[in-house]
Amino acid sequence: MRFVIARYPFEFTKLEVETAMKGVKPEPVTGESVIINRRTYPVKQVGEVITRQDRRDFTAAEVTRAMTSLGFTCRSAAASVPAPAPALSPVEAASAMLGAPDQL
């Protein structure tokens, strides 16, 4: 398929991307990510490898759009952050401060 990344046209197939990423060690994921060959890569790392451009030249959204079109699973940065614990109601907070009643 044809994609435009950083104002340059690229032709990629899913197999070409998988082959290019074979043997590349995934960096720690801190933002958006893509799963290729059962490994999770940052989208910026994938974009750098397949386009041979500096990461500052393109956005994560451009690479995510291209990888999604090829059929790869992409995850947003928010998907990797756990949801905060629900806040206690005033009654639950007071009950927690007092402790549990003694069992007979």
Side-chain angles (χ1 to χ4, degrees), residues 4-77:
V4 176
I5 300 174
R7 297 185 305 267
Y8 291 100
F10 292 96
E11 290 278 340
F12 298 124
T13 63
K14 186 172 184 171
L15 182 61
E16 289 173 335
V17 173
E18 290 173 341
T19 304
M21 295 307 294
K22 196 169 281 188
V24 177
K25 183 180 176 189
E27 296 172 359
V29 176
T30 58
E32 297 180 5
S33 62
V34 59
I35 300 173
I36 301 173
N37 294 329
R38 297 186 314 228
R39 298 177 106 180
T40 303
Y41 295 91
V43 292
K44 287 281 205 165
Q45 181 183 12
V46 174
E48 183 178 47
V49 170
I50 64 175
T51 65
R52 297 184 186 96
Q53 293 182 334
D54 190 87
R55 296 177 191 205
R56 295 172 290 182
D57 294 340
F58 54 85
T59 66
E62 291 174 315
V63 179
T64 300
R65 197 172 322 125
M67 296 300 105
T68 302
S69 296
L70 288 174
F72 292 106
T73 301
C74 297
R75 295 191 176 146
S76 65

